[in-house]
Amino acid sequence: MAPGWTDLLRFPEGSRLRVELTLKPEWRQALETASRRATLWLRALEGAVVHLDRLAGDACALRCSAQSVDGRFTAAPGAAHGFRLHAQLDIAGSSCAFDLDDVSIQIGGGRDAYLVRYVDGGCCHLARLSYDGTGDSACMAIFGAALAAQLPPRWRTLMPARLSVARVVALPATAVG
């Protein structure tokens, strides 16, 4: 059986996760300068709380909330193979949405899980979640190849192979936020 969303998101359904940006300031500035979409996504992540509303092997639904941010992310089985992702962000009057087909999940050892997309017969890594030994947090990295199409040509050559973006930490059930 192929890995599913419970293999990628190893927190229980109903969890609330605090997002801590780990992106180096120079990379944040570069991404925000290069792309309005990157600016919106980084603002959405900064200080956000992610609510894991639904989690099953074949689908998931997340909500992201932060100051003046409302975000939604869903994944469901795709038409061809893999999953279809949909994301929608609304930030203080600005909106950003995307859909992505043919996304799959890969497991890399006991602590790593990857989002990948099959394009032109090859595998393009999109993101990696690396879990700590306790399972209470994970570091998220984005792969440069996944962002290349979104960036102007002058930035593509500077993009590292993997860019550490954030750490997600499970909040206690009684925490407010």
Side-chain angles (χ1 to χ4, degrees):
M1 185 169 162
W5 290 100
T6 52
D7 297 305
L8 180 71
L9 301 171
R10 299 176 186 175
F11 302 101
E13 183 175 80
S15 292
R16 294 176 326 120
L17 310 169
R18 183 183 70 244
V19 178
E20 302 167 350
L21 284 181
T22 58
L23 189 62
K24 292 180 180 179
E26 57 271 17
W27 277 111
R28 180 175 181 153
Q29 182 180 4
L31 289 171
E32 288 179 343
T33 300
S35 168
R36 179 183 172 274
R37 180 181 273 187
T39 302
L40 291 175
W41 282 100
L42 290 169
R43 284 185 190 165
L45 288 174
E46 190 166 39
V49 173
V50 175
H51 304 264
L52 188 50
D53 291 336
R54 179 171 180 240
L55 182 63
D58 66 345
C60 74
L62 310 171
R63 278 181 297 125
C64 175
S65 58
Q67 188 173 8
S68 70
V69 174
D70 179 37
R72 305 236 179 249
F73 172 89
T74 58
H81 60 56
F83 297 100
R84 176 177 179 79
L85 307 184
H86 173 75
Q88 173 74 40
L89 278 180
D90 297 306
I91 303 172
S94 294
S95 186
C96 176
F98 77 85
D99 292 296
L100 197 59
D101 288 310
D102 300 326
V103 175
S104 296
I105 296 165
Q106 291 180 345
I107 304 302
R111 294 188 180 177
D112 293 338
Y114 298 85
L115 267 183
V116 299
R117 185 171 186 218
Y118 293 95
V119 180
D120 299 327
C123 178
C124 176
H125 285 83
L126 303 173
R128 179 184 79 185
L129 286 173
S130 295
Y131 289 85
D132 69 3
T134 66
D136 292 335
S137 69
C139 291
M140 183 175 75
I142 302 294
F143 288 86
L147 294 176
Q150 305 297 320
L151 298 174
R154 69 181 182 272
W155 292 105
R156 290 179 198 162
T157 57
L158 301 173
M159 192 71 189
R162 188 175 59 232
L163 188 62
S164 176
V165 177
R167 182 173 172 253
V168 291
V169 180
L171 293 171
T174 58
V176 177

